[in-house]
Amino acid sequence: MKQLFSALAVLMMLAVPAAHAKDNYISDELFTYMHSGPGTQFRIVGSVDAGTKVTVVDTNRNAGYTQVIDDRGRKGWVETKYVSNQPGLKVRVPALEEELKQVKEALSSAQGDAEAKTKGLIESLDQRNSQVKELERHTSELNQQLIDAQTEIRELRARIDTQKDDLLMRYFAYGGMVAGGGLLFGLILPHLIPRRKKRNNGWA
């Protein structure tokens, strides 16, 4: 009679609507047994490997068992402590590896972009440095031209001053010559002009 009630209970639990089913996972043990009912007294119908995705159909809190459907469509009861709503390592490790791969690719892409930007900045800096050097060279040439022009101006001023002094000396020399010639002419001229003889008017 007891076995009949147990069988009826199992049939009623198997008839739970699928709307209450949800995905869960077998925790990271090597495997766990599936029983035909919520307890070890029920026969073993199979085993479920760790990390296997299962669909929860029902839970018997008093017995500590949960009814699940595994990835092969088998229905049975496993201990609730082995059922988790988090994927096991079997699922998470590949996902983490894929995520790590994506992060590495993103990092590599970011590094490539950074290197390209750095290269562009270096090229721009080299171009600016070249322009600065060209401006410095041009400025140096202009400064040298300015120095040469100032030197030439000083030389021209010195020549002008020398010419002024020479011209002044010539004026003095010409003036002295004219003055000396006039004096000499004044001394010689009386001797060159014949004297007039006095007339004898007979009034002796």
Side-chain angles (χ1 to χ4, degrees):
M1 190 70 177
K2 183 178 180 181
Q3 292 179 350
L4 179 60
F5 283 125
S6 298
L8 289 174
V10 170
L11 290 175
M12 290 177 64
M13 286 184 288
L14 291 176
V16 174
H20 297 287
K22 61 180 180 178
D23 292 337
N24 278 259
Y25 300 87
I26 300 301
S27 61
D28 294 316
E29 300 292 336
L30 291 178
F31 66 90
T32 185
Y33 289 111
M34 294 177 64
H35 296 270
S36 60
T40 55
Q41 69 272 21
F42 295 93
R43 67 184 179 87
I44 296 173
V45 296
S47 63
V48 186
D49 293 333
T52 300
K53 184 177 181 181
V54 296
T55 300
V56 173
V57 178
D58 193 11
T59 300
N60 188 323
R61 297 182 183 277
N62 294 329
Y65 273 76
T66 298
Q67 188 181 32
V68 299
I69 299 175
D70 67 6
D71 56 348
R72 290 188 287 176
R74 297 179 302 173
K75 184 181 290 187
W77 291 82
V78 297
E79 290 187 69
T80 302
K81 65 181 180 180
Y82 295 136
V83 179
S84 172
N85 58 3
Q86 296 293 329
L89 293 178
K90 182 179 179 181
V91 176
R92 282 184 290 172
V93 168
L96 290 174
E97 289 177 348
E98 179 63 24
E99 184 178 356
L100 179 61
K101 179 182 177 182
Q102 293 176 358
V103 170
K104 287 182 177 179
E105 290 176 353
L107 179 60
S108 177
S109 177
Q111 288 177 342
D113 293 341
E115 289 176 357
K117 290 180 180 179
T118 302
K119 182 179 179 181
L121 290 174
I122 292 174
E123 291 177 353
S124 177
L125 182 60
D126 290 341
Q127 185 177 3
R128 296 291 177 84
N129 289 336
S130 178
Q131 292 175 350
V132 170
K133 289 181 180 179
E134 180 64 21
L135 288 174
E136 289 177 348
R137 185 188 64 79
H138 186 61
T139 302
S140 178
E141 290 179 354
L142 291 177
N143 288 334
Q144 186 60 44
Q145 291 177 4
L146 178 61
I147 293 172
D148 294 342
Q150 290 175 343
T151 301
E152 185 177 359
I153 290 172
R154 285 196 297 268
E155 291 176 353
L156 289 174
R157 286 178 177 175
R159 289 174 60 184
I160 291 172
D161 292 339
T162 301
Q163 289 178 356
K164 286 182 178 180
D165 293 340
D166 292 343
L167 184 60
L168 185 60
M169 292 298 294
R170 288 179 183 178
Y171 285 157
F172 283 135
Y174 290 154
M177 291 174 62
V178 171
L183 180 61
L184 182 61
F185 184 74
L187 293 174
I188 296 175
L189 184 61
H191 296 286
L192 295 177
I193 299 175
R195 295 181 179 180
R196 293 182 180 180
K197 293 182 179 181
K198 294 182 179 180
R199 292 181 181 181
N200 190 0
N201 53 12
W203 296 95

